[in-house]
Amino acid sequence: MSKLNDLLVRWAVPARWVAIVGGLAVMAAAFLPWAYRPEALDDVTYYGEPSLLQWLGFALGLIIVACLALGPFVAAKAPARLRRLLNFNRGAKTAAVASLVYQALAAASAALELGGLVALEPGAWVGVAGAALAAVATRALPAGADPRLRWLKTPSWVQILGIVVVLALVLAAAAYGLGLEDPGAFVTFAAFAGLAVWVAAALGVMGWVSAAAQANRSALVLAAFVVAFVFPFTQDGSDANMSIAAGVLIFAATAMGLNIVVGLAGLLDLGYIAFLGAGAFTAATLSESAFATIGWHPPFPVVMLIAGCVSAILGLIIGSPTLRVSGDYLAIVTLAFGEIFRITMNNLDGTDGPNITRGSNGIPAIPNLNLFGFDFGESHTILGFEIGRFANYYWLLLLVMGLIITVFVNLNKSRIGRGWVAIREDERAAEAMGVNVFGLKLLAFAGGAFLAGVAGSVKAHVDVSVTPDQYIFMESAFLVAGIVLGGMGTVGGVLVGAAILKLLPEKLRFFEDYRLLLFGLLLIVMMRFRPEGLLPDQRRQLEFHADDEELAEEADEAPPGLATAAPAASGEGKA
């Protein structure tokens, strides 16, 4: 082992210069054409005129060179405290691997779109070769400890400014990504976004952002809401993009209710989509559609409450007899309930049962909402921007999402939320400590179902029609997958998981036949490298990692005010 260390030390300086050459090659590749024809990516055919995707590759190369240039200075000249906060070697290693992945993916996307490697121009080959050279050379550099930039003491206004900048970058990335029509360009850009987060975590930036968010929760919530509200103004009146955004919010609102059942109470529900369907059918039957089967048409706020209550009652009905079982048996029973709901909606057609849902035909022609004189079905011009139908519903869903998040957060912090977590951790121990296990399980089912019913009432008007075939088992599976992917028990995790699982199928329609394969591979990778989810809470991160003692020590060593943020951020460099 000592010989290996001596060898690494001996080759560290030459390897650093080789890696710098590789980073410079990656930067130079951005100014060379990557493909022969403009159809590939975002037209990467020009000399000296990089497209945005080429500039992104340039940025990764620049990070490699900057980290390699600053590393020796920090190691030799910087104070000991600064050396604990920064680790440019680790950043260079991560940036080199990220650059190799990005360059290889961009080249592969262009080759697939243009019919083979022969369509690639010199820039693609130079970029891949330079990134590979840097990735191999940086392996000889000492890794060192994880950077602890989150310990850096900064004024509150700097932290708030950092939060605003991060959310502005998220808004810009979302606006640009949704506007990409080319599948290869979208995949390449999405990969860069993920790789950029990985590099930022390796440099400690994400740890600092996490600590800043912990210390300025109110500013974070306000800035996030403002960014979400402004999003429709970036879409130039595109109904296609805003329909995707509205679908993400519906999916997220439904998943937030399921997060109570799965993430907090630890109950695996595979038929949860039925509660969303119950809310949608309730709103459809009470709407002013010519095909509605109930003659009563109350105002929409009342319809939302009724839809939520109907779903909650279904939750109580299914929960009362089935919550006495657990584990795999509960999953099977809830799966059966989802199928029973769909079959029942098909049978309420006036032949096999009362005519409530019109059977497999469903209830079409559901009119658009009109609240306080505002017609959600018409386009409006606001501040010179055209706001279409789906943007109107997006803002309504944003308000609904805000209410659902408020309910979820307050429940999570309450005595009820602590009881759910106790049941999830150890049901027998919770019961022995006096927790009303059955009552809290039933409340979780009913509460989650209520939130899903509210989301379903809006979905009925967004989709214009409601049919039983919209609410199948696979939709429940995707809801569970979104929670697992993002991070169970957290608000941010649900939003990220919903965005990924709703956005990818819409932008990668050519991959539709292999969608389940893609999701399966994604979950396998997550279970291997990030089992706690992309945005986990502290408790679940400590549960899934073997280095619990290390995380606890970091929390104890952290400066005052950051002890709670340290464990949550410490795993980011390992993602």
Side-chain angles (χ1 to χ4, degrees):
M1 192 67 178
S2 60
K3 291 184 178 180
L4 178 61
N5 291 334
D6 293 340
L7 185 62
L8 290 177
V9 171
R10 184 183 308 170
W11 286 99
V13 174
R16 185 178 299 275
W17 284 107
V18 171
I20 288 176
V21 171
L24 292 174
V26 172
M27 295 170 62
F31 296 90
L32 300 174
W34 289 7
Y36 181 70
R37 296 203 307 269
E39 301 90 75
L41 303 181
D42 57 346
D43 194 358
V44 290
T45 59
Y46 294 99
Y47 281 93
E49 297 183 19
S51 69
L52 179 61
L53 294 181
Q54 290 174 304
W55 277 119
L56 297 180
F58 177 89
L60 290 175
L62 180 61
I63 292 173
I64 296 173
V65 174
C67 288
L68 292 171
L70 292 173
F73 172 79
V74 172
K77 304 289 186 180
R81 174 176 173 78
L82 186 59
R83 289 200 299 269
R84 296 182 69 191
L85 296 178
L86 302 172
N87 187 337
F88 286 109
N89 280 356
R90 186 176 291 273
K93 287 172 172 283
T94 306
V97 175
S99 180
L100 177 58
V101 173
Y102 179 79
Q103 295 289 339
L105 183 59
S109 299
L112 288 174
E113 290 183 342
L114 298 180
L117 295 176
V118 69
L120 297 182
E121 288 287 321
W125 299 108
V126 171
V128 172
L133 185 65
V136 173
T138 53
R139 295 302 94 188
L141 300 179
D146 285 346
R148 299 178 179 181
L149 192 61
R150 60 184 174 276
W151 290 8
L152 181 65
K153 293 182 179 180
T154 49
S156 296
W157 69 268
V158 175
Q159 295 178 344
I160 295 174
L161 180 61
I163 292 172
V164 171
V165 170
V166 170
L167 290 177
L169 290 175
V170 171
L171 175 62
Y176 178 77
L178 278 177
L180 291 174
E181 299 293 337
D182 182 78
F186 175 80
V187 171
T188 304
F189 179 77
F192 173 83
L195 293 170
V197 173
W198 184 36
V199 173
L203 289 170
V205 176
M206 296 306 297
W208 182 85
V209 172
S210 176
Q214 290 277 349
N216 302 274
R217 290 182 179 272
S218 299
L220 174 65
V221 172
L222 177 61
F225 183 82
V226 170
V227 166
F229 182 82
V230 170
F231 176 74
F233 294 105
T234 67
Q235 296 306 301
D236 195 24
S238 172
D239 274 345
N241 290 344
M242 290 312 304
S243 67
I244 296 175
V248 169
L249 285 183
I250 292 173
F251 190 92
T254 309
M256 195 65 69
L258 181 60
N259 204 17
I260 294 177
V261 181
V262 177
L264 297 184
L267 305 172
L268 183 56
D269 187 347
L270 296 180
Y272 188 78
I273 196 67
F275 301 128
L276 179 69
F281 271 107
T282 301
T285 56
L286 295 176
S287 70
E288 296 183 359
S289 169
F291 300 94
T293 54
I294 297 178
W296 182 41
H297 310 298
F300 183 70
V302 177
V303 172
M304 291 178 64
L305 293 176
I306 294 175
C309 290
V310 169
S311 295
I313 292 172
L314 284 180
L316 293 174
I317 293 174
I318 186 61
S320 297
T322 60
L323 286 179
R324 301 186 186 277
V325 299
S326 60
D328 298 338
Y329 300 101
L330 177 62
I332 293 172
V333 172
T334 54
L335 170 61
F337 166 69
E339 289 300 297
I340 290 171
F341 171 81
R342 182 179 62 82
I343 295 171
T344 301
M345 295 300 101
N346 273 315
N347 289 338
L348 297 180
D349 57 357
T351 302
D352 299 317
N355 186 19
I356 299 178
T357 65
R358 299 181 70 249
S360 59
N361 293 323
I363 302 177
I366 299 174
N368 288 296
L369 292 174
N370 193 315
L371 296 178
F372 309 108
F374 185 86
D375 190 346
F376 283 76
E378 294 184 358
S379 298
H380 302 82
T381 301
I382 301 177
L383 300 177
F385 294 90
E386 183 180 357
I387 302 300
R389 173 181 181 272
F390 287 104
N392 297 330
Y393 281 108
Y394 169 86
W395 278 329
L396 175 62
L397 286 164
L398 197 61
L399 294 177
V400 173
M401 192 68 196
L403 293 174
I404 290 177
I405 290 176
T406 302
V407 171
F408 177 85
V409 171
N410 283 279
L411 282 175
N412 192 16
K413 293 181 178 179
S414 68
R415 183 177 180 181
I416 294 174
R418 293 193 295 271
W420 283 333
V421 173
I423 293 172
R424 185 191 70 194
E425 299 299 326
D426 193 326
E427 184 175 328
R428 294 181 181 275
E431 189 171 11
M433 295 301 294
V435 175
N436 185 354
V437 173
F438 180 76
L440 286 181
K441 282 184 176 181
L442 202 58
L443 180 60
F445 250 71
F450 180 88
L451 298 182
V454 171
S457 65
V458 182
K459 176 178 171 60
H461 290 273
V462 174
D463 293 345
V464 182
S465 66
V466 179
T467 59
D469 291 339
Q470 292 175 306
Y471 306 99
I472 57 178
F473 162 70
M474 289 310 304
E475 297 299 324
S476 293
F478 288 146
L479 286 170
V480 175
I483 294 174
V484 173
L485 178 65
M488 290 191 290
T490 63
V491 173
V494 170
L495 296 176
V496 171
I500 292 175
L501 291 188
K502 289 298 289 184
L503 187 60
L504 287 181
E506 293 292 338
K507 303 301 289 187
L508 302 179
R509 291 187 177 274
F510 73 97
F511 206 73
E512 185 174 4
D513 293 338
Y514 304 97
R515 183 173 64 165
L516 296 181
L517 174 63
L518 177 63
F519 288 164
L521 292 175
L522 184 61
L523 289 177
I524 290 173
V525 171
M526 287 297 302
M527 291 302 100
R528 172 60 183 86
F529 296 102
R530 191 79 170 178
E532 69 273 26
L534 294 174
L535 296 177
D537 62 0
Q538 293 184 35
R539 186 183 297 110
R540 294 197 68 83
Q541 189 171 30
L542 291 171
E543 287 174 2
F544 280 103
H545 282 281
D547 53 354
D548 295 358
E549 295 181 1
E550 179 185 343
L551 296 180
E553 290 175 1
E554 289 187 4
D556 293 336
E557 295 175 5
L562 291 182
T564 57
S570 60
E572 291 169 353
K574 304 178 180 65

